[in-house]
Amino acid sequence: MGLLDAPPQFARSTTGPDGPVHYVAVGDGPPLVLVAAWGPQPGTTAWLTYAGVLERLGAGCRCIAVDLPNFERTGPLTFHEPAHDPAARAVAAAMDAEGIAAAPVVGTSMGRPPGSSSR
């Protein structure tokens, strides 16, 4: 397991309309969705972005931290549309896989627009 990888007990994946979506699930309680930023390849991941706060947030929330398309194990995906569209679909796919109809969303940098438009 490298710095970018979540420990296996937290790593999850599902298949969305555009292919595989990787995310991290930590904690119990009301859902909180966290969306990672984009960065240069290999880029950032949900685990790398949020590992420092997931234990504390997970004490009171069910945290779902989503990797955006073409980062970690979400994708690969070639798209010819605004980048936020497939990113929002990836967030929605992770939420669907966890049975989450609606939740507060935290997004860093480019992670904010896909999070806010996924539901």
Side-chain angles (χ1 to χ4, degrees), residues 81-102:
E81 61 187 307
H84 294 125
D85 294 348
R89 290 192 296 268
V91 173
M95 291 174 70
D96 288 346
E98 293 293 317
I100 299 169

Side-chain angles (χ1 to χ4, degrees), residues 30-33 95-96 99-105 118-119:
L32 175 64
V33 177
M95 291 174 70
D96 288 346
I100 299 169
V105 177
S118 63
R119 293 277 186 221

Side-chain angles (χ1 to χ4, degrees), residues 66-108:
V66 184
D67 288 321
L68 295 177
N70 297 328
F71 292 95
E72 185 64 315
R73 292 179 186 88
T74 297
L77 175 63
T78 301
F79 50 90
H80 304 284
E81 61 187 307
H84 294 125
D85 294 348
R89 290 192 296 268
V91 173
M95 291 174 70
D96 288 346
E98 293 293 317
I100 299 169
V105 177
V106 174
T108 58

Side-chain angles (χ1 to χ4, degrees), residues 46-69:
W47 182 253
L48 183 62
T49 301
Y50 295 111
V53 297
L54 280 174
E55 182 178 354
R56 182 173 288 162
L57 290 174
C61 296
R62 187 167 118 220
C63 299
I64 308 300
V66 184
D67 288 321
L68 295 177

